[in-house]
Amino acid sequence: MCGIVGYIGEREVTPILIEGLRRLEYRGYDSAGIAVLDAAQGNERRRVRVVRCRGKLSALEALLRESRPVGRIGIGHTRWATHGRPSDENAHPHQHGSVAVVHNGIIENYVSLRQSLSQRGHRFQSETDTEIIAHLVDEELRRGGDKDLLAATRRALKQVEGAYAIVVLSEETPGELVCAKNASPLVVGLGEGEMFIASDVPAILPYTRRVIFLEEGDLAQVSAQGVRIVDLDGRPRERPIKEITWSAVAAEKAGYKHFMLKEIHEQARAVTDTLRGRLQHDPPDALLDGFELDPARVRRMFLIACGTSFHAAKVGEYMIEQWARVPVEVDLASEFRYRDPIVGPGDVVVAISQSGETADTLAAVKDARSKGALILSIANVVDSSIPRASNHTLYTHAGPEIGVASTKAFTTQLAALAVLAIHMGRRSGALSATRIEELLHELSAIPAKMNDVVAAAAQIQILARRYGHARDFLFLGRGPQFPIALEGALKLKEISYIHAEGYAAGEMKHGPIALIDENLPVVVLAPRDGTYDKVMSNLQEVKARGGTVIAVANKGDSDVGAVADEVILVPQTVPLLQPLLTVIPLQLLAYYVADFKGTDVDQPRNLAKSVTVE
C-alpha cells in the first residue's frame, strides 16, 4: 500500500527522494515524509532531520521549501494509514534516538511490544506500530555498543511478528542504510557509487535498471559501494542481480498488461493483509480491531452498498445469518435512503464501500445514524467520509485499486464480512469453539487457494477467445453463489460491453430459460454444497435447450464434466467461503474477453472508480 524510497551516494538526496515518492503516488497514500542525514558542518555531529506531514507530496514540498535538509543519504515514505489515523504525528519516517525508520506492513504484536518498551521507560510520539521498530533498533544499537546497525536491526526484528518492509537510517552509522523484508516487497537498485532502495521498481527506474529483489527474511546492508545480504541469524544470502526491461508505466503494473490483471493476481496478498491480526486461535475468535459487536444487543442488521460492494453484502447476508443467527436485510444504498426505512436504536447498519466516498451510501449512513442506528463501515480508504460518519470501521487492506472494475476490493470485503460473522457467531453462541477453529483454518487457507485459481488463468484465456464473440451471457448460481453470478455478469458488462445477466438458478424457469439457444454461453456456478444437485438439474435444463455451459466446479468433481461443455475447477472450502474462490474465474473471464475485444480494461467508458455524486 505504502511507498518506500532510500538513497545513499554522492548526489543531493532530497530531490531523489521526492521524485521516487512521486513515482509511487499511484499506490495511494494519506501522508508523506523524508529523513535525511545532514551533511556535516565542521566538527559537528551529523544529525538526522525528519520532515513529514499529512496530505499529498505538494504539502511536503511546501515544508521543504521553508527548510530543506541537505545531505547524501536519506529515506522517504508515503503512508496509507493502518495503525493510527492520518496525521502529522503518524506520518513516516519515525525517529527515536539516533534511528529513523520507514515501514510498510503491519506489526501484529505491536501492543505487547509497546507495553514492554513503555515499562522500560520509552515514550511514544505516535499511534503507529512503526514507531516501535525505531525504539527497538535504537535500543539494540545502544545495547550492542559496537555501532553495528545491521546486527541491531536483526536483533530488533527477531522480536517482531508480522509483515514488514523497512529501511533504517542512523546517525551512528552514517555510511549505510539497512533494509529488511518479510511479506512486503522491497527492491535494491545498484548504481555506480550509489545505491537505491524502493518498495516498487518505478521509484528507481530513472537512475538504474539493475536491481536485486529481496526475498522473505532478507536483511540488506547498503552502502554507496555495494550491498551485503544476510538472514535474521546473520548468515549470508546470495540474490541474483536482474535487469529491468519494462517501461515506467509497465513497472507500475509490475509487468502486467493492465492494472485489473495485476489486481486480480494481488488478491491472495490483499486477503492475507485483511485477515492479519484478526484471527485468534487461543481461544478461537475473530477480532474487530478493538471493538465488540454483541448480537444480544442487535435487533436487526442492514447491509447497504452499491455495485460490486452490494454483491459482497449479499454474500455477507448468508454468512451473518448462518454463522451468527442474526436477522439481516440487504439494500442498495441508493434505494435504502429513499424508502424511509424503519431503522433505529438496536439496529446495526453495515455500510460497505471500497472508496468510503460513495455518495448514496454516505447519505444512507447519515440518515440511519440520525435515526439512532449504530453504524459499522467496511471500507478500504482510511479516514474517508463513510468511516468518519460511522461509529466503528473494519478496514480492508486491499491497497489502492486502480482498475475501475473492482476485484481485490470485493474479495477483501468478503474476508472482512467473514471476520464479522465469526466474531458475532462466537458471541451469540451459534458457533462452537470447534466450528470456529475450523472456519479460521479454512479462512487462513483461502489465500493459497486463490493463488491456485489464478494459476489456471491460461485455460480461461482460451475460453475467452472461444466465447468472446457472444452477444449475451447468462450467469447462474444458488445460495451464496447467486451474488457471485451477479458479480460475474457485472464484471463482463463493465469492461467488455457484452450484455450479461446474473440470475438465481432456481429462477431460470421464470423467464431466462426463454433466452437459451446455441448462441448463449451460460456460466453455471456449481461447487459441491447443499444446492449442488439442484444446480446440476439447472445445468441439464440448459443443455437440453442447446445452450453452451461453462461450469465453475470443485476439483475432483467428475460429474459436472460429463454434462458441461467447459469446466473451470477451483479448490474446495466451506460453502460460505467458496465465493472467494469461484469469483476469480469470472473476473479472469471478463478480463480476457475485454482484452480480446480490445476495450479499455482499466478505464471502461462512462464509468468512474468512485461514484461521489448521485
Side-chain angles (χ1 to χ4, degrees):
M1 304 173 205
C2 314
I4 285 176
V5 293
Y7 174 80
I8 182 169
E10 292 301 317
R11 306 193 209 195
E12 171 56 39
V13 69
T14 297
I16 293 173
L17 297 178
I18 295 298
E19 175 61 22
L21 295 177
R22 192 176 308 285
R23 288 174 173 271
L24 297 177
E25 280 191 295
Y26 71 92
R27 298 168 65 89
Y29 63 103
D30 51 54
S31 57
I34 64 171
V36 173
L37 188 60
D38 264 344
Q41 301 291 327
N43 294 324
E44 292 182 8
R45 177 176 172 173
R46 300 174 70 178
R47 298 289 183 185
V48 171
R49 284 195 56 202
V50 174
V51 183
R52 58 186 182 166
C53 64
R54 177 179 177 174
K56 298 299 182 183
L57 279 175
S58 57
L60 177 62
E61 288 177 296
L63 290 177
L64 291 172
R65 283 193 291 270
E66 297 175 7
S67 178
R68 173 172 157 172
V70 177
R72 293 180 172 83
I73 176 173
I75 54 180
H77 193 267
T78 50
R79 176 180 188 251
W80 178 285
T82 51
H83 291 88
R85 69 193 188 285
S87 67
D88 291 355
E89 294 78 14
N90 290 334
H92 296 210
H94 286 283
Q95 186 176 11
H96 181 73
S98 71
V99 171
V101 175
V102 292
H103 163 233
N104 289 353
I106 297 174
I107 305 305
E108 295 179 3
N109 62 333
Y110 88 102
V111 172
S112 60
L113 287 173
R114 188 177 180 119
Q115 290 172 345
S116 176
L117 286 164
S118 296
Q119 291 168 0
R120 298 201 294 272
H122 290 254
R123 297 294 177 262
F124 297 91
Q125 308 301 315
S126 77
E127 304 167 289
T128 69
D129 54 343
T130 300
E131 188 183 354
I132 287 162
I133 301 174
H135 283 253
L136 289 173
V137 174
D138 182 71
E139 186 177 73
E140 292 296 336
L141 192 60
R142 287 186 287 106
R143 179 179 296 160
D146 53 4
K147 296 185 178 181
D148 187 336
L149 184 60
L150 180 63
T153 304
R154 283 197 300 105
R155 292 193 296 269
L157 290 179
K158 282 191 171 185
Q159 304 172 55
V160 166
E161 298 172 9
Y164 55 78
I166 67 167
V167 187
V168 183
L169 169 66
S170 174
E171 297 166 356
E172 300 290 344
T173 57
E176 65 179 328
L177 295 170
V178 170
C179 57
K181 169 196 161 41
N182 183 55
S184 290
L186 206 58
V187 59
V188 178
L190 286 67
E192 296 294 331
E194 58 185 1
M195 301 289 282
F196 306 84
I197 303 169
S199 55
D200 210 349
V201 169
I204 60 177
L205 273 185
Y207 312 105
T208 182
R209 290 180 176 269
R210 298 175 66 241
V211 303
I212 296 172
F213 290 99
L214 297 186
E215 298 184 17
E216 301 308 302
D218 283 355
L219 292 92
Q221 182 182 44
V222 181
S223 69
Q225 287 70 46
V227 55
R228 179 166 74 98
I229 301 173
V230 300
D231 65 13
L232 275 172
D233 293 317
R235 294 184 294 254
R237 284 184 167 180
E238 296 293 328
R239 300 294 180 222
I241 297 174
K242 297 188 177 181
E243 188 79 19
I244 298 298
T245 58
W246 321 321
S247 68
V249 172
E252 291 178 2
K253 298 174 184 175
Y256 293 100
K257 188 175 182 180
H258 297 96
F259 279 110
M260 181 182 177
L261 184 60
K262 175 177 180 279
E263 288 155 5
I264 290 171
H265 281 254
E266 287 177 338
Q267 288 180 109
R269 189 276 309 159
V271 167
T272 297
D273 286 349
T274 298
L275 297 176
R276 183 174 283 120
R278 290 170 172 162
L279 305 185
Q280 175 182 289
H281 292 275
D282 187 20
D285 199 2
L287 308 178
L288 299 184
D289 299 353
F291 66 92
E292 294 275 321
L293 195 57
D294 182 2
R297 299 182 180 181
V298 177
R299 182 177 64 174
R300 265 179 321 178
M301 295 188 76
F302 293 87
L303 305 188
I304 60 171
C306 298
T308 285
S309 296
F310 174 73
H311 301 154
K314 293 290 290 181
V315 178
E317 178 184 20
Y318 287 95
M319 291 175 172
I320 294 168
E321 289 202 338
Q322 290 193 27
W323 291 346
R325 306 309 294 164
V326 173
V328 176
E329 292 185 26
V330 179
D331 270 282
L332 288 163
S334 55
E335 293 294 320
F336 180 84
R337 60 176 299 207
Y338 288 115
R339 68 175 175 85
D340 193 19
I342 301 172
V343 59
D347 295 327
V348 175
V349 173
V350 181
I352 307 172
S353 168
Q354 185 280 140
S355 66
E357 303 290 347
T358 309
D360 286 310
T361 307
L362 178 59
V365 161
K366 291 178 178 178
D367 181 53
R369 188 163 186 178
S370 72
K371 295 176 179 177
L374 180 116
I375 311 297
L376 167 62
S377 57
I378 295 177
N380 189 43
V381 179
V382 174
D383 207 31
S384 49
S385 296
I386 292 172
R388 289 201 307 270
S390 303
N391 299 98
H392 303 291
T393 300
L394 191 60
Y395 284 112
T396 58
H397 295 301
E401 190 175 64
I402 309 301
V404 166
S406 182
T407 53
K408 62 179 180 174
F410 176 72
T411 47
T412 53
Q413 286 168 353
L414 295 184
L417 285 162
V419 168
L420 174 62
I422 295 169
H423 173 91
M424 295 180 68
R426 181 181 186 276
R427 284 148 186 80
S428 71
L431 293 176
S432 67
T434 301
R435 178 60 172 158
I436 293 171
E437 189 59 52
E438 178 192 359
L439 293 176
L440 297 182
H441 174 77
E442 290 293 331
L443 200 48
S444 299
I446 287 293
K449 293 180 179 181
M450 295 176 95
N451 281 331
D452 286 347
V453 181
V454 171
Q459 176 202 1
I460 301 170
Q461 191 171 10
I462 293 169
L463 296 182
R465 289 185 171 272
R466 189 172 294 161
Y467 300 105
H469 56 78
R471 189 183 67 180
D472 307 279
F473 267 75
L474 183 63
F475 291 76
L476 299 175
R478 284 180 182 258
Q481 297 303 322
F482 167 44
I484 303 307
L486 295 174
E487 176 63 9
L490 177 61
K491 284 291 154 287
L492 192 64
K493 282 184 282 196
E494 282 182 311
I495 62 173
S496 75
Y497 316 142
I498 292 174
H499 172 254
E501 295 293 337
Y503 262 87
E507 293 293 295
M508 190 176 68
K509 290 193 286 290
H510 294 271
I513 199 167
L515 299 173
I516 295 173
D517 61 20
E518 66 277 5
N519 297 314
L520 181 71
V522 181
V523 180
V524 181
L525 294 154
R528 287 274 187 182
D529 58 21
T531 65
Y532 178 78
D533 291 339
K534 296 288 187 184
V535 172
M536 287 295 289
S537 296
N538 297 134
L539 193 153
Q540 293 278 11
E541 289 166 349
V542 172
K543 288 301 298 176
R545 286 154 181 84
T548 299
V549 173
I550 304 169
V552 179
N554 287 133
K555 290 182 177 181
D557 186 346
S558 57
D559 296 333
V560 72
V563 185
D565 297 276
E566 314 282 359
V567 181
I568 303 168
L569 297 174
V570 300
Q572 180 93 41
T573 186
V574 296
L576 289 181
L577 297 179
Q578 197 73 64
L580 284 151
L581 303 178
T582 53
V583 73
I584 297 175
L586 308 192
Q587 295 170 345
L588 288 166
L589 180 65
Y591 170 78
Y592 284 121
V593 168
D595 187 44
F596 170 62
K597 293 186 68 179
T599 61
D600 189 341
V601 171
D602 287 331
Q603 296 290 330
R605 67 190 183 203
N606 304 330
L607 295 178
K609 183 62 184 171
S610 178
V611 182
T612 57
V613 294
E614 296 181 47

